[in-house]
Amino acid sequence: MPASFVAAIVGRPVTVVMVTIAVLVFGWVGATRLPVELLPNVAYPTLTIQTEFPDAAPSEVEQLITRPIEERVRAVPGVLHVESTSKEGRSEIVLDFAWGTRIDTAMAEVREKLDRAVLPPEATRPLVLRFDPSQEPILRLALHPAGSTGTLAATDLTTLRHVADTTVQRALEKLPGVAAVQIYGGEEHEVLVELDPERLAALAIDAEEVVAAIQRDNVNDPGGALTDRKNRYLIRTVHEAKSAADIAGVIVRARGDARLRVRDVATVRLAPREAEVLSLVDERDAIELAIYREGDA
């Protein structure tokens, strides 16, 4: 067999030359024109089930939400691994399928199993989500205070968050290929209204009345339009609170010349918002900037 193969090659030099040229040409075309991506689009065979159970402890979420759903979805064909997380008010279950599994079919079967699961009426309808790697950030940057000798104090996370929001984030979003930049960590402030129960009881006012007064006063309403010859002007009433003092001055009740304001029944101050995400770099508080790329970047 080897002798006959060699004889065939020697006896057909033109064919061998043409085949060799064809292989070289196709190899050159493939090496120069085939696209190469650092982060190619890969469809992972993974499904995530998210269920909200407001104001429930992690143990209740696990017992009433996570376990009943796990018992149902484990029977779905193709499931290799099930991983669940139960935390306050939320249940997350990740299903890993074998490679080659048709995710659309698997998703339909998972939803069919979920329709048969018995969950508390307070829980929301379970959401079935596909894992998309393009939805994950391709780069994470961290900003942290320079320390006592730098321009920022070690505890000045409010200023650092403001710099990240107004300067760094906007500069990164202008770069080609960047779809979005999200900021995590740091301190954000909000206006905190602490009602005085004794003052409310003495004046026969309930908390709902104060809340309604703040909502009614802190609005921007459209006011129609004016036409002057060829120009058209839109009119709107701008009455949005800009500071804690604006909230404190909101009128709750008015009788004659008397005005009862929010500051008369509550303490209004600017306070840090309760942090939901904590970002650390070398065990120090920091600001995280998650960068997301565009689909074809």
Side-chain angles (χ1 to χ4, degrees), residues 163-180:
V163 172
D165 188 18
T166 59
T167 304
V168 183
Q169 181 184 25
R170 296 180 182 179
L172 292 175
E173 288 179 340
K174 295 179 181 179
L175 297 178
V178 176

Side-chain angles (χ1 to χ4, degrees), residues 189-212:
H189 283 74
E190 62 183 1
V191 177
L192 182 62
V193 180
E194 297 177 327
L195 299 177
D196 187 348
E198 296 181 357
R199 291 287 297 169
L200 293 177
L203 298 172
I205 299 177
D206 54 10
E208 288 76 9
E209 185 174 353
V210 179
V211 173

Side-chain angles (χ1 to χ4, degrees), residues 49 51 61-76 79 81-86 91-95 110 113-114 117-119 126:
I49 304 173
T51 309
V61 174
E62 180 181 5
Q63 181 180 1
L64 301 178
I65 302 294
T66 304
R67 290 185 178 179
I69 293 179
E70 282 185 346
E71 293 175 356
R72 293 289 182 178
V73 299
R74 284 184 184 274
V76 175
V79 175
H81 180 69
V82 179
E83 181 179 352
S84 62
T85 303
S86 301
S91 169
E92 292 185 358
I93 301 175
V94 180
L95 307 179
V110 169
K113 298 292 185 182
L114 292 176
V118 180
L119 303 178

Side-chain angles (χ1 to χ4, degrees), residues 131-150:
F131 174 73
D132 187 359
S134 63
Q135 300 301 321
E136 292 293 320
I138 63 168
L139 184 64
R140 298 179 187 270
L141 303 179
L143 298 177
H144 58 83
S148 57
T149 59

